[in-house]
Amino acid sequence: MNVKSFLDIVAQRAQRQPETALYTWLDDQGEEAGRLSAGGLDLRARALGAWLRAAMPAGGGQDAPALLLFPPGLEFVTAFCGCLYAGAVAVPAYPPRGARSLPRLTAIAADARPRAVLTTAALLPRVRAWMAGEPALAGVAVAAVDEIDDAAATGWRHPGVGPDALAFLQYTSGSSAEPKGVMVRHGNLLHNEEMIRRAFGQDEESVVVSWLPLYHDMGLIGGVLQPLYSGGRCVLTAPGAFLKRPALWLEAIDRYRATTSGGPNFAYELCTRKVGAEERQGFDLSCWRVAFNGSEPVRPDTLERFAAAFAPCGFRPEALYPCYGLAEATLFVAGGAPHSGAATRSFAVADLEAHRAVPADGDGARALTACGRPWMGQRLVVVDPDSRRPLAAGEVGEIWIAGPSVAAGYWGRPEATARDFAAQLAGGEAGEEAGEETADGGSGRWLRTGDLGFLHGAAGSEELFVTGRLKDLIILRGRNVYPQDVEGTAEAAHAALRAGCSAAFAAEADGEERLVLACEVDRHAAAEPGALAEIAEAVRWAVFEAHEAPVHEVVLLRTGTLPKTSSGKVRRSACRAAWEAGSLAGRLDRSAPDAPPEPAAAGPGAGAGPEPSRELLERLREWAAPLLRTAPEGLAVDRPLIALGLDSLAAAELQQVVEAELGLTLDLGDLLEGASLEEIAERVAAGRAATDGEAEAAAGAGGHRPPAE
């Protein structure tokens, strides 16, 4: 078959293997909860494609965005393929949840201006309620995919899309106020999937297991679409299921004999920490051939500890596959040869700060993991971000990319597109052989990634090493200072500083760039007389001795107040902005430490009833306090838990405790999207009242209450 779009891939798979179970869905307990065959996917995609074409305004679905609002599950897969079959532009996004999740979703809707919205029957009332208040969605068609009859497939007609047509918009994970939709064309998607197939060594025998979010590039392109492209099979489960019990991931790899699976570095760290030796004994991971690691900095120590911990389970170190990519390049950019393992090298920190990569060992060296090389004719160059001059191997600069996988730009943002997708090297195609065609078809345009790195290795086989983000880099008197290095030094300077809760950033003072450090302090240590001055002094000396960088100011913060994302990543730019505005929350006065916040009283309206509500609130506080490393009496009940330091792991643990102790389901999304203890208590109380009401209704009708699942 002549493949012109990803639609052709789906149709081809259905023709060749209609009965093959392409996708298997696992519930939170790891049990099969659904299957989707190649023929079933094709039928559903035709029905949805026909509905979308009819529902869209005149002109059909060509280049018309369709907003996809789904919980994790197979309905999302059919909806995405339905958009391909309509020639529509899929816009995956998280469905509306609590009030704190709405600004980003509203911003995406306002930017994308969708002509249709797809969801499930269960979510349809909530989606309609949200749409009613959004001017950008006035008059937009909305439907539940599980209510569209398969008979609609008879009305489907091929939309005639080709490689230049848009397949979907991938919204970046930046500021919720200004999300940018990366325009991924069918040609981009086909090229990137072929790169992944070759780099990972995928074929029709491959089995992929993925818990990654379906709405993001790694989960969608690497998890859902790659098995469809390469001819393999896929086993999916929800991200919350993995966070709740990391062993579920490894169990699925063992049970389905997965050949390919992976995720960000934290996933490997989480398994190493949370899956004990006794639980590991039951796993056989010898089938795992490609354990990819990307999306965030790949840490050599994490890879070493994971490989050692699971070696008794048959896991082979050569399966480790560090890689590099980003949404603006569709997904995959660089990776090593299949089954070659992770290559780690150490470089002198002092030289890295001077824009050079010089191999070194021992003290003063920093270990980095190679992320391989580009594939299939794509080009990667390291560039001085100011002069736009290509740099030689061993010089640190911004990573630029050119090639067929580079997306078309940002939806509706020509200026940002010109800035990031149409960069040109100084002097044109400097460094090109005479007469050689450039990787981007000769235009001389490059994608600026905003990432810093360097090339290292023998000529002709250099590998990429990523060192950080350009926007987070601290430049002090001509030296590159990497914030993660400074933060690690600071946190080790005093036992009262919390690990992973520091932000180093540059700020202008007295006409030059100065180093500022914001660090969270353990609550009990902060209360000791004179402790804050002692801590700040220890940080200053440690950073100066290790990095020869004077610290302009050490800002000590109350536990849980450092700006972070919902997944626990430090928001350095937000921290800097708050510091410059004088609004950095939780700041401790060095001369008189802040007292712990007074616990908020549970008033009459805080829950289902006065006395039970207070009791429930106190129980929640007792369960949450150890996870936030604080005392129950000092835990504010009216503040979002993520603002108090709750990360993904702690949220999953709190969810487990509440469900085990109270026998009620607590939504992990509520915890990660900013619920306070008061709000959780209200929802738990409401859940109790609803359950009791159902029981009373059943008893009044002479029936019996169904057993709890």
Side-chain angles (χ1 to χ4, degrees):
M1 177 184 287
N2 184 19
V3 175
K4 296 181 179 179
S5 69
F6 208 85
L7 184 165
D8 298 330
I9 295 293
V10 183
Q12 183 183 58
R13 189 74 188 275
Q15 290 176 8
R16 291 169 51 187
Q17 300 171 308
E19 303 303 322
T20 299
L22 289 183
Y23 299 100
T24 300
W25 180 260
L26 305 182
D27 62 19
D28 286 4
Q29 285 70 48
E31 299 299 324
E32 287 194 13
R35 287 193 173 195
L36 184 61
S37 68
L41 176 60
D42 178 68
L43 177 63
R44 293 296 299 145
R46 288 170 184 263
L48 296 177
W51 182 90
L52 278 169
R53 294 282 288 183
M56 295 283 190
Q62 191 78 24
D63 284 348
L67 189 61
L68 307 185
L69 302 177
F70 289 83
L74 298 180
E75 292 89 352
F76 171 85
V77 179
T78 59
F80 185 88
C81 290
C83 289
L84 299 181
Y85 274 54
V89 181
V91 184
Y94 285 100
R97 303 173 71 96
R100 293 183 180 86
S101 70
L102 296 183
R104 174 175 169 79
L105 180 55
T106 295
I108 289 175
D111 187 74
R113 295 281 172 175
R115 299 187 193 177
V117 177
L118 294 179
T119 186
T120 63
L123 281 178
L124 188 57
R126 186 187 304 177
V127 170
R128 286 190 185 278
W130 167 70
M131 291 177 63
E134 300 301 328
L137 299 174
V140 170
V142 58
V145 297
D146 40 350
E147 293 181 343
I148 296 176
D149 197 310
D150 288 347
T154 59
W156 178 77
R157 298 293 182 272
H158 197 294
V161 294
D164 292 332
L166 293 183
F168 69 102
L169 300 183
Q170 176 66 66
Y171 273 87
T172 59
S173 57
S175 167
S176 61
E178 293 186 357
K180 297 191 291 292
V182 177
M183 298 187 291
V184 179
R185 297 167 292 200
H186 282 270
N188 301 141
L189 190 54
L190 291 170
H191 183 267
N192 208 255
E193 293 291 10
E194 178 63 15
M195 279 204 301
I196 296 172
R197 189 190 69 79
R198 296 187 190 185
F200 286 14
Q202 302 284 85
D203 55 30
E204 292 187 356
E205 300 301 316
S206 298
V207 179
V208 175
V209 166
S210 178
W211 53 267
L212 298 164
L214 304 180
Y215 324 98
H216 294 164
D217 52 358
M218 184 185 286
L220 174 59
I221 298 168
V224 173
L225 301 183
Q226 172 56 207
L228 192 57
Y229 179 87
S230 62
R233 295 179 292 119
C234 184
V235 179
L236 298 168
T237 192
F242 165 69
L243 292 172
K244 187 175 182 179
R245 191 168 66 89
L248 184 149
W249 179 30
L250 307 179
E251 288 174 0
I253 291 172
D254 179 3
R255 177 181 174 186
Y256 293 93
R257 310 311 296 155
T259 60
T260 307
S261 193
N265 191 84
F266 89 87
Y268 295 91
E269 184 70 36
L270 195 58
C271 285
T272 304
R273 289 168 45 199
K274 301 297 290 185
V275 182
E278 183 176 347
E279 198 170 15
R280 294 173 196 164
Q281 291 179 0
F283 298 144
D284 176 6
L285 303 179
S286 59
C287 56
W288 200 354
R289 299 202 307 262
V290 179
F292 60 86
N293 185 328
S295 180
E296 63 184 26
V298 180
R299 301 190 180 279
D301 57 333
T302 298
L303 299 184
E304 291 174 8
R305 287 186 287 106
F306 181 88
F310 292 96
C313 307
F315 182 81
R316 297 184 298 273
E318 55 266 29
L320 291 168
Y321 194 92
C323 49
Y324 168 73
L326 67 163
E328 284 82 353
T330 302
L331 173 61
F332 181 77
V333 169
H339 324 308
S340 60
T344 299
R345 304 285 184 269
S346 293
F347 301 91
V349 172
D351 285 297
L352 287 174
E353 293 175 348
H355 318 277
R356 301 185 302 270
V358 178
D361 293 308
D363 294 340
R366 177 184 173 193
L368 296 172
T369 301
C371 290
R373 57 180 176 80
W375 288 70
M376 288 178 57
Q378 289 228 136
R379 293 199 59 226
L380 183 153
V381 64
V382 177
V383 177
D384 182 303
D386 296 321
S387 69
R388 297 181 289 115
R389 176 180 60 86
L391 300 175
E395 293 186 279
V396 178
E398 185 182 8
I399 301 166
W400 288 20
I401 305 164
S405 277
V406 174
Y410 295 121
W411 176 264
R413 294 176 181 268
E415 292 182 2
T417 296
R419 181 191 67 228
D420 293 344
F421 287 84
Q424 291 188 302
L425 297 170
E429 280 292 316
E432 288 287 345
E433 298 292 337
E436 181 182 354
E437 184 178 352
T438 63
D440 57 353
S443 69
R445 295 182 177 182
W446 295 77
L447 167 68
R448 299 190 63 165
T449 69
D451 292 317
L452 292 169
F454 60 89
L455 297 171
H456 176 77
S461 59
E462 298 96 336
E463 290 192 294
L464 174 67
F465 289 78
V466 181
T467 59
R469 287 288 295 167
L470 179 62
K471 65 180 181 180
D472 286 336
L473 187 68
I474 301 168
I475 303 175
L476 297 176
R477 298 174 183 174
R479 291 171 52 226
N480 286 349
V481 179
Y482 292 92
Q484 56 268 41
D485 292 344
V486 175
E487 290 156 6
T489 299
E491 290 165 6
H494 199 284
L497 295 174
R498 304 182 69 215
C501 295
S502 300
F505 53 89
E508 185 172 329
D510 300 326
E512 65 176 325
E513 291 283 284
R514 301 292 184 91
L515 176 61
V516 178
L517 262 163
C519 309
E520 286 188 9
V521 180
D522 179 81
R523 187 182 304 278
H524 301 293
E528 296 292 328
L532 296 180
E534 175 188 322
I535 295 168
E537 194 65 18
V539 169
R540 285 179 179 278
W541 276 109
V543 171
F544 184 78
E545 289 181 344
H547 306 281
E548 296 184 2
V551 181
H552 173 70
E553 184 174 354
V554 178
V555 183
L556 300 179
L557 304 175
R558 187 184 297 121
T559 297
T561 57
L562 186 75
K564 289 186 176 184
T565 67
S566 60
S567 60
K569 295 181 182 179
V570 174
R571 299 173 59 204
R572 297 187 183 97
S573 58
C575 194
R576 178 178 62 247
W579 180 83
E580 291 173 341
S583 59
L584 196 55
R587 184 163 182 162
L588 296 167
D589 189 321
R590 294 181 189 171
S591 60
D594 286 1
E598 290 294 326
E611 191 60 31
S613 176
R614 283 196 293 269
E615 178 185 353
L616 175 60
L617 197 57
E618 291 308 316
R619 292 182 71 186
L620 289 170
R621 179 185 272 165
E622 290 175 3
W623 296 330
L627 301 175
L628 296 170
R629 301 177 185 178
T630 189
E633 60 273 12
L635 184 58
V637 298
D638 59 346
R639 294 190 59 204
L641 287 173
I642 60 171
L644 300 176
L646 189 81
D647 57 18
S648 300
L649 175 58
E653 292 181 355
L654 180 58
Q655 180 195 40
Q656 286 180 287
V657 172
V658 172
E659 292 182 353
E661 294 290 337
L662 301 180
L664 294 169
T665 300
L666 182 63
D667 193 334
L668 187 66
D670 290 339
L671 296 174
L672 293 177
E673 290 176 3
S676 67
L677 283 178
E678 281 183 341
E679 291 170 333
I680 293 171
E682 291 173 0
R683 293 171 196 179
V684 170
R688 279 178 166 174
T691 302
D692 291 343
E694 291 174 3
E696 291 176 6
H704 299 281
R705 181 176 176 178
E709 295 182 358

